[in-house]
Amino acid sequence: MHAPHEHATEHIMPWRVEDIDFSRIDWQTATADEDLLLLICSASFVESGSDLYTGNLSEFFSDDPEVSGWLNRAWEPEELQHGRVLKTYIQHVWPDFDWETAFQRFFAEYSRVCLVSNFEKTRGLEMVARCVIETGTATLYRAIGEHAADPVLKEIAALVSADEVRHYKHFYKYFKRYQDSEGQSRLTVLRTLARRLMEIRNEDSEIALRHVLITRYPERAEDASYLRRRIDRATGLIRQQLSADMCIKMLTKPLDLPVRAQPLMHYPLTKITQHVFFR
């Protein structure tokens, strides 16, 4: 992981982990839903590895001080805070879980697949890709909040989801700026949206879930069919809570569709979204 950025402290965080009262956790309710906790723990790994991803994005946008500055001073500390708050929650409900060891194993594998070479060909299209990812995370945390019975997890999910929506708005703003100079066709933007949407169930969460399970159930570490079943069950848990309408609204914005064309795109994007999130 790269070193913290010098000016990260200049950013005023919209909320702080220290302000959350973890003593309010309904421990019995929280621990009864292990599949949900598997998702929360895996998300804590991905979010806690955000500094690697930020480093890659900063490199990609290194000649744009506004974008790289926002990534380093605002986006990275907020993403890392997501990892910290989810980690803290897991440590309260699973006090015997070796989070640090599991995370280090995850990160060793994750760092081999989190590469600049996976980015889009242009900066504008990479912003489209980021809009898709932020749509996915905002929708995920909103669904977690709606599914969760524990009040503290509901509070955390609402805070993180709101952050992700705000991040989406930044990436969308930067996309619009790049679009003014790149002039990508609507078809090219649509292809990028569709491709990245189909990839949204990416390696990150799969790798994270596998390492959570291996650490929690070391005796099943070599049982590939068991790990597959548990991963599928966990990812399917909150699918019924996901909002297709929220996804469609966020995904269609970069297309800048005329009002009369919006209903035409709604159906195919809804089908793709349902295939990705609801299958």
Side-chain angles (χ1 to χ4, degrees):
M1 298 186 194
H2 64 275
H5 297 282
E6 279 182 32
H7 303 296
T9 54
E10 294 175 3
H11 176 63
I12 298 173
M13 303 292 277
W15 55 275
R16 300 185 316 137
V17 177
E18 293 76 16
D19 296 333
I20 295 173
D21 182 4
F22 289 94
S23 70
R24 291 173 49 243
I25 292 174
D26 183 339
W27 192 83
Q28 191 168 4
T29 300
T31 55
D33 198 343
E34 186 182 58
D35 287 334
L36 182 59
L37 294 178
L38 291 174
L39 281 179
I40 297 302
C41 192
S42 67
S44 76
F45 289 178
V46 175
E47 301 278 15
S48 296
S50 295
D51 53 349
L52 173 64
Y53 205 95
T54 309
N56 290 342
L57 278 174
S58 294
E59 178 184 336
F60 194 71
F61 293 100
S62 58
D63 60 347
D64 189 328
E66 181 185 348
V67 172
S68 60
W70 176 76
L71 288 169
N72 293 328
R73 289 193 295 272
W75 190 69
E76 177 181 339
E78 290 185 16
E79 292 291 301
L80 290 175
Q81 178 166 258
H82 297 169
R84 199 159 60 251
V85 73
L86 297 173
K87 172 186 176 181
T88 304
Y89 185 82
I90 287 295
Q91 289 176 325
H92 275 79
V93 296
W94 282 351
D96 297 330
F97 182 78
D98 189 351
W99 191 94
E100 294 293 346
T101 297
F103 173 71
Q104 291 304 324
R105 290 171 180 164
F106 156 76
F107 193 80
E109 185 174 351
Y110 171 63
S111 60
R112 295 197 297 270
V113 299
C114 183
L115 305 169
V116 174
S117 58
N118 295 332
F119 287 4
E120 298 296 326
K121 293 178 181 178
T122 74
R123 292 180 297 180
L125 291 177
E126 181 56 29
M127 288 301 180
V128 172
R130 291 308 319 173
C131 285
V132 174
I133 293 168
E134 298 299 330
T135 297
T137 52
T139 308
L140 171 67
Y141 286 116
R142 178 175 170 180
I144 286 172
E146 290 178 0
H147 178 86
D150 173 50
V152 177
L153 184 53
K154 278 188 173 295
E155 177 187 1
I156 291 169
L159 290 169
V160 176
S161 181
D163 282 353
E164 302 291 11
V165 170
R166 189 162 36 78
H167 295 166
Y168 168 93
K169 291 176 180 177
H170 276 274
F171 286 119
Y172 175 72
K173 177 183 74 173
Y174 294 136
F175 159 72
K176 291 290 287 182
R177 177 154 66 77
Y178 285 128
Q179 181 68 344
D180 287 344
S181 57
E182 291 181 12
Q184 301 291 348
S185 71
R186 195 170 279 133
L187 181 58
T188 299
V189 173
L190 176 61
R191 283 174 176 160
T192 302
L193 282 169
R195 183 176 67 254
R196 295 307 286 253
L197 184 58
M198 294 303 293
E199 293 172 357
I200 207 164
R201 285 185 170 184
N202 55 24
E203 292 176 281
D204 304 0
S205 56
E206 293 259 332
I207 293 169
L209 274 165
R210 183 159 34 82
H211 284 287
V212 176
L213 285 163
I214 287 171
T215 301
R216 189 153 172 80
Y217 299 104
E219 71 279 6
R220 308 300 290 268
E222 304 301 322
D223 189 342
S225 62
Y226 171 79
L227 296 176
R228 183 74 263 159
R229 285 196 307 274
R230 293 301 307 269
I231 288 171
D232 288 345
R233 199 170 85 185
T235 54
L237 178 70
I238 45 82
R239 212 164 292 150
Q240 65 271 23
Q241 307 286 348
L242 291 168
S243 169
D245 286 342
M246 177 181 174
C247 283
I248 298 304
K249 185 176 180 181
M250 294 173 76
L251 288 170
T252 53
K253 278 198 79 168
L255 292 172
D256 194 24
L257 293 169
V259 174
R260 67 179 183 277
Q262 290 176 13
L264 298 175
M265 289 308 306
H266 192 276
Y267 178 77
L269 279 174
T270 297
K271 298 305 287 185
I272 294 172
T273 303
Q274 287 173 337
H275 177 69
V276 171
F277 289 116
F278 300 93
R279 68 182 176 189

